[in-house]
């Protein structure tokens, strides 16, 4: 009996995994035909934390144009040039169109450091220079009220920005800084823009407790249920141009193996013993749930 259970248990786990992945793809909204930027702090963040999201959004059938903006080269150990190359290789493995869609910022204001919080205003300036377009003529597409229509509509060269939430998944201060920098940029863009909707939807990756963080695919049913309940709770609230409030991406076995390869084949310089554990049991290698942030 014990031998039978030992043989059947893995089969049941894989079957439940594939079924849950199918349900997630069929039930949760997907972004289509969007200009999307993934904002990360270090090379390998895209693979260690956001791989399910990148793999899903880069699907050519969805028509998205996905880019990665990395705010440091991860040069804490003097491997900056190597890590920049590894990031480009990882991005291609995860489905980006071209290495030209990967931009790495090297600025002394943004050191790769576990003890440094990056300045939100400086981060906002980088985002503004990179993505904020010249003001456009007023358009009813972005207008959300009948108030003062003399303001020019705020515009940007991206539609969606994805980054860490205010807890930064691992509590890394560089990760947390990205959240505050993104919010500062969007709030600055919308300053004095009464009557217009923010042209960029900000999504953040949800941080979890340590048990869920290392639960691998076993966390998927709980995440799915939580997303459904949260979506129901927020039903009826206004959404930007139909943008969903919650996104969930659950990789199947093939996508999971691709995410692992992005680490083991591209980010070779970072494959220390503890990262083998992460790519084996870390839930962010398989499951991503993102929340659309409200910009006030």
């Amino acid at each position: 009996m014990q031998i039978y259970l030992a043989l059947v248990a893995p089969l049941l786990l894989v079957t439940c995994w594939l079924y849950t992945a199918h349900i997630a793809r069929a039930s949760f909204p997907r972004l289509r035909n969007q200009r999307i930027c993934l904002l990360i702090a270090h090379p390998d963040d895209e693979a260690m934390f956001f791989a399910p999201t990148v793999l899903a959004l880069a699907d050519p059938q969805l028509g998205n144009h996905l880019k990665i903006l990395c705010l440091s080269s991860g040069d804490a150990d003097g491997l900056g040039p190597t890590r920049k190359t590894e990031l480009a290789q990882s991005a291609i493995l995860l489905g980006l169109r071209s290495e030209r869609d990967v931009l790495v910022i090297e600025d002394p204001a943004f050191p790769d450091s576990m003890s440094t919080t990056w300045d939100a205003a400086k981060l906002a300036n980088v985002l503004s220079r990179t993505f904020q377009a010249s003001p456009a003529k007023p358009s009813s597409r972005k207008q959300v009220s009948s108030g003062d229509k003399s303001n020019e509509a705020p515009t940007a060269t991206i539609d969606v920005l994805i980054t860490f939430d205010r807890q930064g998944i691992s509590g890394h201060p560089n990760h947390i800084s990205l959240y505050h920098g993104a919010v500062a940029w969007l709030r600055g863009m919308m300053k004095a823009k009464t009557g217009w909707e923010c042209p960029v939807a900000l999504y953040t990756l949800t941080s979890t407790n340590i048990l869920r963080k290392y639960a691998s695919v076993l966390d998927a049913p709980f995440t799915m249920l939580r997303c459904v309940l949260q979506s129901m709770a927020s039903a009826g609230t206004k959404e930007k141009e139909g943008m969903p409030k919650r996104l969930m991406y659950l990789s199947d076995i093939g996508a999971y193996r691709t995410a692992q390869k992005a680490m083991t084949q591209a980010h070779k310089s970072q494959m220390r013993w503890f990262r083998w554990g992460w790519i084996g049991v870390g839930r962010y290698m398989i499951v991503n749930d993102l929340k659309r942030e409200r910009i006030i």
Side-chain angles (χ1 to χ4, degrees), residues 30-49:
R30 308 173 78 181
L31 300 181
R32 297 177 181 272
N33 303 313
Q34 301 293 318
R35 301 168 298 174
I36 305 171
C37 175
L38 172 64
L39 178 64
I40 59 176
H42 319 103
D44 76 14
D45 288 348
E46 83 295 340
M48 289 182 62
F49 303 108

Side-chain angles (χ1 to χ4, degrees), residues 72-146:
S72 81
S73 62
D75 199 36
D77 298 322
L79 296 173
T82 298
R83 298 194 66 185
K84 287 172 64 177
T85 300
E86 291 177 342
L87 173 57
Q89 294 172 347
S90 171
I92 296 302
L93 277 172
L94 294 174
L96 266 69
R97 299 180 183 180
S98 167
E99 292 184 5
R100 292 189 299 274
D101 289 327
V102 179
L103 175 61
V104 179
I105 301 295
E106 293 188 277
D107 189 320
F110 310 124
D112 175 10
S113 171
M114 284 291 296
S115 60
T116 301
T117 297
W118 295 341
D119 184 85
K122 292 180 179 178
L123 285 168
N125 286 336
V126 170
L127 293 171
S128 179
R129 293 196 306 268
T130 307
F131 298 123
Q132 195 160 336
S134 300
K137 293 182 179 181
S139 167
S140 60
R141 180 175 180 268
K142 297 296 183 182
Q143 191 172 323
V144 296
S145 78
S146 58

Side-chain angles (χ1 to χ4, degrees), residues 227-239 244-246 291-292:
C227 287
V228 169
L229 293 176
Q230 290 171 335
S231 296
M232 292 173 61
S234 62
T237 58
K238 188 174 180 59
E239 297 182 352
K245 282 190 170 293
R246 292 277 173 178
K291 172 188 175 184
R292 184 166 63 83

Side-chain angles (χ1 to χ4, degrees), residues 156-170:
T157 59
I158 57 173
D159 305 304
V160 177
L161 182 64
I162 298 173
T163 193
F164 295 96
D165 67 4
R166 65 178 70 227
Q167 294 176 296
I169 308 301
S170 61

Side-chain angles (χ1 to χ4, degrees), residues 160-219:
V160 177
L161 182 64
I162 298 173
T163 193
F164 295 96
D165 67 4
R166 65 178 70 227
Q167 294 176 296
I169 308 301
S170 61
H172 197 303
N174 297 167
H175 296 175
I176 296 170
S177 297
L178 296 183
Y179 168 82
H180 293 289
V183 170
W185 172 49
L186 295 178
R187 286 179 177 170
M189 184 193 303
M190 297 307 298
K191 187 177 181 179
K193 294 294 184 180
T194 305
W196 297 102
E197 189 173 351
C198 183
V200 179
L202 174 63
Y203 285 92
T204 58
L205 184 62
T206 304
S207 294
T208 66
N209 60 51
I210 193 168
L211 291 178
R212 291 182 59 200
K213 189 183 295 185
Y214 293 100
S216 188
V217 72
L218 297 177
D219 186 61

